[in-house]
Amino acid sequence: MDPSLTKSWRALQDHAASFDDLDLRGLFDDDPGRVDRMTLTVADLTVDLSKHRVSPAVLDDLIALANEVGLADRFAAMIDGERINSTEDRAVLHTALRAPVGVEVLEDGENVVPAVHEMLGRMGAFADRVRSGDWVGATGAPIETVINIGIGGSDLGPVMAYEALAAFRHERIRCRFVSNVDGSDLIAAVRDLDPATTLFVISSKTFTTQETLTNAQSAQAWLTASLGADAVAKHFVAVSTNATEVAAFGIDTDNMFGFWDWVGGRYSMDSAIGLSLMIAIGPDAFAEMLTGFRAIDEHMAATPIAENAPALLGLIEVWYRTFCDLPSRAVLPYSQALHRFPAYLQQLDMESNGKRIRIDGEPVTYETGPVIWGEPGTNGQHSFHQLLHQGSTVIPADFIVFGAPENAEFEGADAHHDLLVANCFAQSQALAFGRTAEEVAETETDPLLVSHRTFPGNRPSTTIMAPALTPSVLGQLVALYEHQVFTQGVVWGLNSFDQWGVELGKVLASAIIGKLRDDGTPDLRHDASTNALIQRYRSMRGR
Ligand code: F6P
């Protein structure tokens, strides 16, 4: 279906023609009930949408658009196991990963929930053995370091959550995450380690990803050089859907934790891909995280769009990106623990909706997925916030902030946290309401500086607050964004669950690697620039 043919689409185009007139100062002045009406409470999250440049009429038409494209039916189709990932002929059932025992989710007529819980049970038993010291390495020593080797969805979710939930980690066990095929990543991770106390978790849905397999092979060589080949069984486990490749690599499938093709890589942190996280925080905290995910799944499934937080966040993004031509969105967690959250969201959003062909095979005639980027506050304030406040482009921002400091026991934690939160609130205030030339002129007499010191304001943001960053709250946050991304994909008519755009580079790299390593004179038949780059590299390496 072409969403641009709907009635609400045309109405939104009309609204967008006067986007410049949508002024936050005016919207707030005219409507004292705006903040209450536009602040949603969902589980532990409070989502303040009031600082968005949407009038009640725009919101009504966005909601009408969601209805015209069948958002609710599409979500129901997803959670009911329909094969909505049509280009890969797969169901999309990450929501089943957090379904409680007793709930039925059918995929091809079979209830998948018992298998999900059986796997959670196996993961939990293994995590408990590693945590208690019962699982020992080849020399009999307990594990002290878990290294997750994976990339994309097999890295970003676990590392983001491991960092976010630092306060909940096991005292003896630390995790490290190796993703980049640049050997420096692995070398930095193992340099100071004793192989005898190190466990590698090789995480790859397909178990064919070049970067992960290369890192895993080098890790295996590092380990066996000091402990011998028999040590692999005690120091390597795999997380994958591909038992054949796991066995071919040399990992016993008894030490493999599986999941299913209906879990997309970027939607997999709550599957067995979360094994390293579960070892760090324990099965109970992991289960608590799943309840957080589930709370938002239920909200998304059961709440009318007008009060549905992920749906409204997605619709507002569609408004900015498609109708108002705003190219990017900043994600600004005021929480050091969430320092990897923007990177996590980059894959979630941009690999899902960075597409220009609709699910029906037709090219879109409108802008789709925004560029997602960000850094934790307050650091960003001292680098790119200048552009957010006074640059020529309007960039909507997401602020994420918590009531409680992460390390409440630390002397001075309250003072730090109050300052952090004050800065967060000040940034969204400054972005929204700016400072007029008249206001600047009250204290500045030089007319030149008046213009330099004026802030245009009218720059939109969402503020998401929760009492504290707990496992459940983290699950809620991730699910909130998952369903926001889903909403955008449905409105744009995209398949948010494939990623064909990563294929070409993989194929070309396979063709180039042989030319780099060729002992003789390689037959270079690439474009002139690529040929020259290959020659330059070869000459740098004396080949
Ligand atoms: O980069 C493409 C991609 O397929 C991602 O979607 C995925 O998360 C990542 O590679 C890793 O894939 P795998 O888990 O199969 O190694």
Side-chain angles (χ1 to χ4, degrees):
M1 158 186 194
D2 182 349
S4 67
L5 301 178
T6 57
K7 194 166 155 248
S8 41
W9 191 280
R10 284 189 297 277
L12 287 159
Q13 282 174 323
D14 289 345
H15 291 305
S18 46
F19 183 56
D20 286 349
D21 300 336
L22 274 176
D23 170 49
L24 284 170
R25 284 192 184 221
L27 289 168
F28 272 74
D29 287 347
D30 295 347
D31 180 4
R34 182 176 175 88
V35 175
D36 279 350
R37 222 186 37 260
M38 295 187 67
T39 301
L40 303 170
T41 303
V42 187
D44 296 314
L45 308 179
T46 309
V47 183
D48 179 356
L49 302 173
S50 65
K51 293 194 187 89
H52 280 296
R53 286 170 66 179
V54 288
S55 61
V58 169
L59 260 189
D60 285 350
D61 283 318
L62 285 170
I63 293 164
L65 178 60
N67 287 325
E68 281 193 85
V69 298
L71 174 63
D73 286 350
R74 201 77 188 144
F75 190 73
M78 180 178 84
I79 63 176
D80 288 346
E82 276 184 39
R83 293 179 175 253
I84 65 165
N85 178 356
S86 51
T87 58
E88 295 180 316
D89 191 25
R90 287 177 182 163
V92 176
L93 277 176
H94 46 277
T95 49
L97 298 170
R98 47 263 195 167
V101 177
V103 167
E104 192 177 66
V105 180
L106 298 180
E107 199 259 338
D108 258 352
E110 194 181 326
N111 184 11
V112 300
V113 178
V116 166
H117 282 275
E118 194 205 311
M119 186 49 63
L120 283 170
R122 272 195 65 211
M123 289 164 63
F126 179 71
D128 279 340
R129 287 191 68 191
V130 175
R131 288 163 65 83
S132 68
D134 180 45
W135 178 279
V136 291
T139 65
I143 300 300
E144 286 172 6
T145 308
V146 175
I147 301 190
N148 184 81
I149 295 182
I151 197 164
S154 300
D155 166 71
L156 289 163
V159 68
M160 177 278 289
Y162 177 76
E163 294 296 319
L165 300 176
F168 297 82
R169 288 182 206 154
H170 191 276
E171 273 180 10
R172 186 189 77 247
I173 296 166
R174 65 184 162 188
C175 294
R176 290 179 179 173
F177 297 83
V178 173
S179 55
N180 199 333
V181 76
D182 183 338
S184 310
D185 203 8
L186 178 65
I187 291 162
V190 299
R191 182 176 279 138
D192 58 344
L193 295 185
D194 177 358
T197 57
T198 302
L199 174 73
F200 290 96
V201 178
I202 313 302
S203 298
S204 175
K205 180 177 170 179
T206 55
F207 232 77
T208 57
T209 303
Q210 263 184 345
E211 294 96 321
T212 299
L213 294 186
T214 303
N215 277 324
Q217 273 150 6
S218 300
Q220 205 180 39
W222 174 81
L223 183 104
T224 55
S226 50
L227 296 180
D230 290 348
V232 170
K234 285 288 172 195
H235 293 269
F236 274 75
V237 299
V239 178
S240 186
T241 59
N242 191 343
T244 313
E245 290 296 331
V246 167
F249 179 85
I251 297 178
D252 190 336
T253 48
D254 283 350
N255 291 339
M256 168 178 157
F257 298 84
F259 58 114
W260 306 272
D261 72 358
W262 42 260
V263 183
R266 52 194 174 276
Y267 298 88
S268 66
M269 62 171 275
D270 43 356
S271 71
I273 288 290
L275 182 63
S276 48
L277 172 68
M278 189 193 266
I279 293 171
I281 65 171
D284 290 346
F286 196 88
E288 202 201 301
M289 183 180 79
L290 296 183
T291 62
F293 274 97
R294 177 76 182 172
I296 303 298
D297 295 345
E298 288 176 348
H299 167 81
M300 177 72 184
T303 312
I305 292 170
E307 292 139 44
N308 189 313
L312 287 173
L313 285 167
L315 292 169
I316 290 170
E317 180 59 58
V318 169
W319 165 242
Y320 290 136
R321 182 70 197 103
T322 301
F323 295 97
C324 309
D325 203 23
L326 305 186
S328 87
R329 189 170 90 247
V331 177
L332 311 171
Y334 274 66
S335 160
Q336 189 57 30
L338 283 183
H339 72 108
R340 292 296 284 158
F341 199 63
Y344 174 76
L345 284 189
Q346 275 177 334
Q347 188 199 12
L348 181 66
D349 201 313
M350 294 164 78
E351 205 174 61
S352 296
N353 289 334
K355 293 166 190 170
R356 44 174 267 293
I357 299 295
R358 283 202 312 261
I359 204 158
D360 58 12
E362 295 299 321
V364 299
T365 52
Y366 40 82
E367 292 292 347
T368 61
V371 175
I372 301 292
W373 59 282
E375 278 287 322
T378 58
N379 294 4
Q381 290 175 210
H382 299 273
S383 66
F384 56 79
H385 281 226
Q386 165 66 41
L387 185 149
L388 294 183
H389 288 290
Q390 291 187 316
S392 55
T393 306
V394 172
I395 300 178
D398 291 357
F399 291 93
I400 304 170
V401 66
F402 302 100
E406 192 198 350
N407 297 295
E409 72 291 350
F410 156 64
E411 171 91 29
D414 286 338
H416 281 259
H417 200 65
D418 292 345
L419 194 53
L420 178 75
V421 174
N423 273 280
C424 176
F425 295 167
Q427 289 297 313
S428 67
Q429 184 185 1
L431 284 169
F433 304 111
R435 193 165 56 173
T436 64
E438 294 72 40
E439 287 165 349
V440 178
E442 286 169 18
T443 52
E444 177 61 69
T445 50
D446 180 343
L448 179 74
L449 286 183
V450 168
S451 50
H452 281 284
R453 297 181 64 187
T454 297
F455 285 67
N458 215 15
R459 302 199 164 201
S461 66
T462 302
T463 300
I464 302 172
M465 285 190 76
L469 182 51
T470 61
S472 170
V473 164
L474 183 68
Q476 292 169 38
L477 262 181
V478 173
L480 182 80
Y481 279 102
E482 284 179 347
H483 302 330
Q484 168 177 359
V485 168
F486 178 85
T487 300
Q488 292 161 205
V490 170
V491 174
W492 287 323
L494 304 173
N495 178 1
S496 301
F497 302 102
D498 59 13
Q499 54 283 318
W500 299 108
V502 303
E503 294 296 314
L504 180 60
K506 290 184 190 174
V507 172
L508 296 182
S510 305
I512 291 171
I513 185 77
K515 308 288 171 61
L516 300 182
R517 291 176 177 160
D518 194 317
D519 285 338
T521 309
D523 179 17
L524 296 180
R525 294 175 189 221
H526 308 273
D527 60 277
S529 167
T530 307
N531 287 344
L533 291 168
I534 292 171
Q535 294 284 26
R536 195 165 303 130
Y537 177 77
R538 287 179 60 85
S539 114
M540 285 174 181
R541 302 303 310 264
R543 293 174 193 161

